[in-house]
Amino acid sequence: MKNRVRKVAGTLADYGADAMLVMQPENRFYLSGFTGSSGALLVTKKKAYLITDFRYLEQAREQSPHLEVIKMTDNLADTLAAMPEKTGIRALAFESGYVNYKLYEELGRKLSGIKLVPLEGVIEKLRQVKDDQELAAIARSMSLLDEGFDYICGWIKPGVTERAVELELEMFLRRKGATAAAFPFIIASGPRSSLPHGTASDRLIGPGDVITLDFGVVLDHYNSDMTRTVALGTPPGTIRKIYDIVLEAQQAGLAAVRAGVKASAVDAAARKVIESHGYGEYFGHGTGHGVGLAVHEGPRLSPRDDTVLQEGMVVTVEPGIYLPGTGGVRIEDSVVVERDGCRVLTKSPKNKLIEL
Ligand code: ZN
Ligand code: ZN
């Protein structure tokens, strides 16, 4: 973590800043290891500080030995204004997508003479490439999902609701060690499966229903994300047909992932397959996203993101086809980008539509 702080300190000059205030929770954790819910990092060219209130002082000293812990007084702006170190700061960078207007206004007022420099995505960019320790944590988080999928496939039966499936799956994953669900699981059955983000409802699952299960957990601070589409008994012919197309698109996307390729090229590889079968207009979202301390982070595997993939990035590949009134299919795996390809972290079966 010391290295991460050093990296940020080393880039300050590029942005015309002498210091940076880091508050966004995942960014703050990434640089500090501090898990408290309140605190700010002040990274200067020479030294870094963790400012937090009385409740977290002991924890902060324990979790962030590489930072000087400063006790927050009334509020952050006053605390910063009272720090003698601030005399060396002429320009202070802040996370423009996170600092709210009230704090911005306070900082401007209390730190008179210091220029505020809005920055966006600097630490997020560093977070995109994971180190070995992070990759190990992510792999553990992902492999829990495989256990969960296997379990829930044996549990789903006619007459259960989507919400019951969600609860059962989450409880299973929590018992297996997950800290939390990464997001409210998407359990969408029958015609509801055409909702790309259809969170679980009270709908009863019955014979012939297709079921989209999109779920993920947090384990050791790292997220996981996987989608499988299954059916209870035999689904309509259209669903079987689009399943095969989505699978072909997903495999084309996976085959396109490797270091040196643009994120948009992976999207194009998957999208081309769906378009060639005439379903282009029914695939309205990007092909994937980065996963790490946040379940959705950069890079975006979308037509608009030309980020060049690098070894150690973790991305999802998740094309889908959604037919309003009929149903939908999505298949999602999370993978580590490698020099010559990718390593798939979610290994649940997908090669043919599972009929429970
Ligand atoms: Zn997902
Ligand atoms: Zn996803």
Side-chain angles (χ1 to χ4, degrees):
M1 274 168 198
K2 223 175 181 169
N3 283 341
R4 296 174 183 172
V5 173
R6 215 174 284 144
K7 247 185 216 169
V8 174
T11 60
L12 289 171
D14 303 345
Y15 308 110
D18 313 295
M20 180 171 184
L21 195 59
V22 180
M23 299 182 69
Q24 197 278 337
E26 284 94 32
N27 289 345
R28 191 180 63 196
F29 174 78
Y30 184 73
L31 298 182
S32 69
F34 173 63
T35 57
S37 63
S38 145
L41 253 72
L42 178 71
V43 181
T44 71
K45 285 175 183 166
K46 287 199 197 101
K47 204 170 167 185
Y49 307 84
L50 171 55
I51 303 162
T52 188
D53 66 74
F54 172 78
R55 294 171 298 167
Y56 295 113
L57 291 175
E58 193 181 343
Q59 181 184 338
R61 287 190 193 105
E62 209 174 282
Q63 292 180 325
S64 312
H66 58 303
L67 305 172
E68 183 175 329
V69 176
I70 306 265
K71 184 181 169 187
M72 180 136 84
T73 49
D74 284 350
N75 62 60
L76 182 62
D78 282 320
T79 310
L80 286 168
M83 284 173 68
E85 294 83 355
K86 82 158 202 313
T87 47
I89 301 174
R90 279 160 296 132
L92 174 66
F94 67 97
E95 296 158 300
S96 63
Y98 187 78
V99 166
N100 65 28
Y101 182 75
K102 181 168 173 275
L103 177 59
Y104 175 74
E105 194 264 337
E106 273 174 8
L107 291 172
R109 205 154 27 88
K110 304 259 167 83
L111 302 176
S112 59
I114 296 181
K115 187 180 154 203
L116 296 175
V117 182
L119 281 190
E120 179 75 70
V122 174
I123 297 159
E124 284 83 350
K125 194 153 248 163
L126 294 178
R127 279 173 37 203
Q128 289 185 5
V129 176
K130 277 76 180 171
D131 64 29
D132 289 346
Q133 234 177 336
E134 293 184 286
L135 290 176
I138 293 172
R140 283 197 299 276
S141 186
M142 298 284 181
S143 74
L144 260 191
L145 303 187
D146 290 330
E147 287 186 55
F149 178 70
D150 185 53
Y151 171 76
I152 206 67
C153 282
W155 188 86
I156 294 173
K157 53 190 173 303
V160 298
T161 64
E162 293 172 353
R163 240 191 269 276
V165 173
E166 179 193 30
L167 183 63
E168 189 68 23
L169 181 54
E170 184 172 341
M171 281 201 300
F172 175 87
L173 294 164
R174 293 290 302 274
R175 281 202 195 96
K176 286 278 173 181
T179 323
F183 51 87
F185 296 168
I186 291 162
I187 312 286
S189 64
R192 285 193 81 247
S193 59
S194 69
L195 305 169
H197 268 200
T199 46
S201 77
D202 286 328
R203 185 181 186 278
L204 295 170
I205 299 173
D209 277 346
V210 64
I211 312 158
T212 299
L213 306 151
D214 185 352
F215 59 108
V217 295
V218 186
L219 182 70
D220 295 335
H221 305 286
Y222 283 87
N223 288 272
S224 50
D225 192 8
M226 176 174 82
T227 306
R228 287 293 182 268
T229 300
V230 299
L232 189 57
T234 308
T238 320
I239 295 291
R240 301 165 75 94
K241 184 180 161 200
I242 62 172
Y243 187 91
D244 291 341
I245 298 169
V246 170
L247 180 63
E248 190 190 331
Q250 206 244 357
Q251 280 163 338
L254 290 174
V257 176
R258 66 173 176 283
V261 160
K262 283 180 181 171
S264 53
V266 178
D267 178 85
R271 198 168 297 280
K272 205 172 81 187
V273 173
I274 292 178
E275 281 170 355
S276 74
H277 288 276
Y279 287 96
E281 63 177 300
Y282 302 104
F283 174 30
H285 58 75
T287 293
H289 54 85
V291 185
L293 289 174
V295 71
H296 292 117
E297 54 182 48
R300 305 276 158 180
L301 272 52
S302 85
R304 291 170 301 282
D305 191 338
D306 286 333
T307 302
V308 174
L309 298 184
Q310 293 176 55
E311 269 182 84
M313 285 180 169
V314 176
V315 296
T316 70
V317 177
E318 51 176 309
I321 295 176
Y322 312 93
L323 306 175
T326 303
V329 169
R330 177 167 65 256
I331 302 170
E332 172 182 33
D333 283 311
S334 295
V335 307
V336 184
V337 178
E338 295 191 328
R339 204 186 57 183
D340 302 313
C342 69
R343 177 160 54 94
V344 180
L345 298 173
T346 42
K347 303 182 197 310
S348 294
K350 64 179 179 187
N351 284 340
K352 68 189 235 316
L353 178 63
I354 295 174
E355 296 179 5
L356 303 173

